[in-house]
Amino acid sequence: MIFGCAEPEKPAEETKRVTRPDFNVMEDVTHKKQTFFNFLRPAVSQENARVSQERSFLLAIQAQFKVGQAIQENDLDEARQLGDAYKVELTDDKITEQWLDEMLVRVDEIPETLVLSQAANESGWGTSRFAKEGNNYFGQWCYTPGCGLVPSARNEGATHEVAVFSDAQQSVHAYFMNVNRNRAYAELREIRAQERASGHKITGLKLAEGLHRYSERGQDYVDEIQGMIRHNRQYWQQG
């Protein structure tokens, strides 16, 4: 069960739709895992490329800010839009050091090992009802009536639904935005910022330590995701 939630939203760039494999009929485990990871990997790469571009923009603005260089109006407009997207609004419509620091904590990449392991865990390797009917690979909730699929085992009085996405790319995009801006995952973002500041490689194993609030299972969930990352190392293209 997911504490964090995300309303469906479209990624900045549309990609060509990829036919979803039927993971339910795949009996060979190795083939199933490889197919699952290959299916979602392009979406993860696209999201990390987007975030990397956004981060480069922020770092360029930070460099200008530090030397007292005036920020161009078009850059201010882009910063404003980026702040709105990550829920860190500009104060008095001005870029400040505090704003930049908070944005750089949020606007950063997520290792594919973590993204793909969570997707496999949350969707049962693409076989769950929510993956098949709603392209939801991360168990993300939404709260607007009719926004998604009603869980069959939803507790009495609960109002959440499981979000529905148009395709896998949209699901991965929503996951990235959820992890990078939802206050439930502030711990993960802080770990990532500390690793970057220390010059360490940012790994899925390390960032998984900040996922205690992704599931009601807490540390058991963290341990399970880390176990999946280790067990499936043969499939990873990056750390």
Side-chain angles (χ1 to χ4, degrees):
M1 183 177 296
I2 307 307
F3 286 102
C5 62
E7 296 290 340
E9 62 178 283
K10 294 182 179 180
E13 299 180 5
E14 293 291 338
T15 56
K16 183 178 180 181
R17 294 289 177 86
V18 178
T19 302
R20 179 187 177 281
D22 188 352
F23 299 107
N24 292 75
V25 302
M26 297 180 185
E27 297 182 356
D28 182 81
V29 174
T30 300
H31 173 67
K32 185 174 186 176
K33 287 184 175 183
Q34 189 67 71
T35 302
F36 181 81
F37 290 142
N38 287 347
F39 172 63
L40 289 181
R41 184 171 277 126
V44 178
S45 296
Q46 178 176 315
E47 285 303 301
N48 272 322
R50 172 185 63 80
V51 171
S52 179
Q53 185 176 20
E54 293 171 346
R55 185 175 179 83
S56 294
F57 167 77
L58 291 170
L59 289 171
I61 293 296
Q62 185 183 59
Q64 295 176 36
F65 185 82
K66 286 183 175 180
V67 299
Q69 184 176 340
I71 307 300
Q72 299 296 316
E73 188 62 34
N74 61 325
D75 287 338
L76 181 61
D77 288 340
E78 186 171 346
R80 186 184 301 111
Q81 293 175 22
L82 203 56
D84 289 344
Y86 283 88
K87 299 183 179 179
V88 186
E89 295 183 3
L90 295 176
T91 302
D92 298 326
D93 208 33
K94 295 179 180 179
I95 292 175
T96 64
E97 184 176 0
Q98 181 180 4
W99 182 86
L100 284 166
D101 288 344
E102 176 58 29
M103 285 294 290
L104 286 168
V105 169
R106 296 191 179 206
V107 184
D108 208 340
E109 299 178 31
I110 306 175
E112 74 164 29
T113 56
L114 182 63
V115 184
L116 296 179
S117 293
Q118 282 197 268
N121 184 282
E122 296 291 338
S123 71
W125 296 95
T127 64
S128 72
R129 170 198 169 200
F130 304 119
K132 291 186 293 183
E133 297 180 19
N135 290 302
N136 190 328
Y137 295 89
F138 301 93
Q140 294 179 96
W141 292 356
C142 57
Y143 290 92
T144 303
C147 66
L149 302 170
V150 177
S152 58
R154 188 173 67 176
N155 294 334
E156 184 177 355
T159 60
H160 71 275
E161 298 179 14
V162 178
V164 169
F165 301 102
S166 61
D167 55 20
Q169 179 66 49
Q170 191 185 46
S171 178
V172 173
H173 174 73
Y175 164 86
F176 266 71
M177 297 307 292
N178 190 28
V179 170
N180 277 341
R181 68 186 180 187
N182 193 307
R183 63 183 180 182
Y185 313 120
E187 180 184 2
L188 180 150
R189 297 192 294 271
E190 185 58 33
I191 291 171
R192 182 174 60 190
Q194 290 174 356
E195 290 293 284
R196 186 174 286 283
S198 300
H200 298 157
K201 182 178 181 180
I202 298 173
T203 68
L205 274 174
K206 187 65 178 178
L207 293 198
E209 295 175 7
L211 288 175
H212 292 91
R213 297 186 64 189
Y214 203 94
S215 166
E216 290 181 326
R217 296 170 57 215
Q219 185 59 45
D220 287 342
Y221 180 79
V222 171
D223 293 342
E224 186 169 327
I225 295 300
Q226 290 179 321
M228 292 181 71
I229 292 173
R230 294 188 182 98
H231 183 71
N232 294 297
R233 62 172 58 92
Q234 71 190 83
Y235 302 101
W236 308 137
Q237 295 184 348
Q238 58 166 292

